[in-house]
Amino acid sequence: QVQLVESGGGLVQAGGSLRLSCVASGIIFAITNEAWYRQAPGQQRELVAAITSGGDTNYVDSVKGRFTISRDNAKNTVYLQMNSLNPEDTAVYYCHAIGSTRYWGQGTQVTVSS
């Protein structure tokens, strides 16, 4: 089993920045790819950014150039640096990992005010 715990969400004004963290524990050696998803009210959960075990990354078009996903293997942590935030980024952000199965964190709320 793998447990994922997110932190770093909050309320920020448009144009501001936040850094989300996701700490993994448990059978972490089995983890390969990790990602951040988000879900806004009334909308489907969408992939925001992903990173492979080799460090390759990809992003949804709406966050390219503003968000950066990274991982610190020594700390078992994946980060999502979010810059130039706008109200459309408001959502619950979820950490996701692929190991023997798919794992999800509990989510952290990000609210961007205009």
Side-chain angles (χ1 to χ4, degrees), residues 8-14 17-18 20 41 82 85-93 108-114:
L11 174 64
V12 64
Q13 289 188 330
S17 299
L18 285 174
L20 305 183
M82 306 186 294
L85 286 160
N86 59 61
E88 289 71 37
D89 297 315
T90 295
V92 177
Y93 284 70
T108 185
Q109 176 70 47
V110 171
T111 303
V112 185
S113 63
S114 57

Side-chain angles (χ1 to χ4, degrees):
Q1 288 290 335
V2 173
Q3 295 78 44
L4 303 174
V5 179
E6 303 104 330
S7 62
L11 174 64
V12 64
Q13 289 188 330
S17 299
L18 285 174
R19 188 176 80 156
L20 305 183
S21 300
C22 172
V23 180
S25 61
I27 309 177
I28 57 176
F29 68 85
I31 293 176
T32 55
N33 297 354
E34 296 181 270
W36 288 94
Y37 284 73
R38 67 185 178 187
Q39 187 167 20
Q43 299 195 16
Q44 291 186 332
R45 191 171 296 189
E46 68 167 350
L47 175 64
V48 177
I51 185 166
T52 69
S53 56
D56 294 328
T57 59
N58 68 80
Y59 301 88
V60 67
D61 285 346
S62 60
V63 308
K64 285 180 180 178
R66 300 189 298 122
F67 291 11
T68 302
I69 188 171
S70 61
R71 64 196 299 174
D72 184 335
N73 292 329
K75 295 182 178 180
N76 303 322
T77 302
V78 176
Y79 302 98
L80 185 67
Q81 178 66 44
M82 306 186 294
N83 299 326
S84 302
L85 286 160
N86 59 61
E88 289 71 37
D89 297 315
T90 295
V92 177
Y93 284 70
Y94 296 91
C95 182
H96 174 264
I98 296 177
S100 59
T101 184
R102 296 163 64 100
Y103 300 96
W104 294 94
Q106 81 286 355
T108 185
Q109 176 70 47
V110 171
T111 303
V112 185
S113 63
S114 57

